[in-house]
């Protein structure tokens, strides 16, 4: 307990000195408003482009804020340039997740569908990008495949 108290005192003194010198201690980077949390890039089984297989390939995003985000105009892209753009009426609640599945289906509150008939995410390596409605990069995640996993957590 005494060590913790001493460390706290030293940290406070360093922060005070940094402020006095005009050089504050670096702040921890804030999480992006919409964060990529998982990319399932290699759907189970043979890649035969069945809708079931296409929908087992997906990217999951998390709203890290305490407010809902209107995703209209936001996009998800891969390194090749395949792009999914969220349409009207897609609002992601605070601290909620949404999954963008590659294949076809009916959009809901927790999953939307790219409606593609081909895979998006490369099985060996790729990069995912999330951009807001103004085109600004919000988050990205790169991966190189490992033989022990078909997905990456970002």
């Amino acid at each position: 307990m005494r060590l913790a108290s001493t460390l706290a005192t030293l940290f406070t003194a360093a922060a005070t000195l940094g402020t006095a010198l005009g050089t504050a201690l670096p702040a921890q980077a804030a999480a992006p408003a919409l964060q990529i949390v998982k990319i399932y890039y290699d759907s189970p089984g043979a890649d035969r482009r069945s809708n079931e297989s296409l929908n087992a390939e997906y990217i999951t995003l998390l709203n890290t804020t305490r407010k809902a985000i209107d995703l209209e105009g936001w996009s998800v892209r891969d390194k090749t340039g395949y792009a999914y753009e969220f349409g009207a009426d897609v609002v992601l609640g605070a601290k909620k997740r949404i999954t963008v599945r590659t294949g076809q289906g009916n959009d809901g509150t927790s999953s939307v569908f790219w409606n593609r008939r081909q895979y998006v995410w490369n099985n060996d390596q790729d990069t995912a990008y999330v951009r807001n409605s103004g085109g600004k990069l919000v988050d990205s995640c790169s991966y190189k495949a490992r033989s022990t996993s078909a997905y990456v957590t970002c």
Side-chain angles (χ1 to χ4, degrees), residues 23 36 39-41 44 50 54 66 76 101 117 124-126 131-132 137 150:
T23 56
I36 301 167
I39 303 170
Y40 207 113
Y41 55 82
S50 70
L54 289 166
R66 294 183 196 169
V76 173
R101 297 186 182 279
R117 294 177 188 234
D124 58 346
Q125 63 182 7
D126 210 336
R131 296 186 181 275
N132 66 18
L137 181 65

Side-chain angles (χ1 to χ4, degrees), residues 46-57:
D47 290 345
R48 294 208 166 100
R49 286 191 262 173
S50 70
N51 196 51
E52 181 180 5
S53 178
L54 289 166
N55 283 332
E57 178 187 84

Side-chain angles (χ1 to χ4, degrees), residues 1-14:
M1 193 65 159
R2 185 174 181 148
L3 177 60
S5 175
T6 302
L7 289 175
T9 302
L10 287 173
F11 184 78
T12 302

Side-chain angles (χ1 to χ4, degrees), residues 81-100:
Y82 295 124
Y84 173 84
E85 186 172 307
F86 288 92
D89 301 324
V90 181
V91 177
L92 185 59
K95 305 293 182 184
K96 298 292 182 186
R97 294 173 186 246
I98 192 162
T99 299
V100 181

Side-chain angles (χ1 to χ4, degrees), residues 73-154:
W74 288 59
S75 65
V76 173
R77 298 176 185 269
D78 80 331
K79 195 171 189 176
T80 305
Y82 295 124
Y84 173 84
E85 186 172 307
F86 288 92
D89 301 324
V90 181
V91 177
L92 185 59
K95 305 293 182 184
K96 298 292 182 186
R97 294 173 186 246
I98 192 162
T99 299
V100 181
R101 297 186 182 279
T102 299
Q104 300 177 355
N106 296 317
D107 293 348
T109 56
S110 62
S111 284
V112 293
F113 296 83
W114 209 306
N115 291 319
R116 291 184 48 87
R117 294 177 188 234
Q118 295 181 31
Y119 298 97
V120 172
W121 307 109
N122 295 331
N123 289 353
D124 58 346
Q125 63 182 7
D126 210 336
T127 302
Y129 306 94
V130 174
R131 296 186 181 275
N132 66 18
S133 60
K136 181 181 176 189
L137 181 65
V138 175
D139 196 19
S140 65
C141 177
S142 296
Y143 63 87
K144 288 189 179 183
R146 293 178 247 139
S147 60
T148 58
S149 183
Y151 66 90
V152 62
T153 53
C154 305

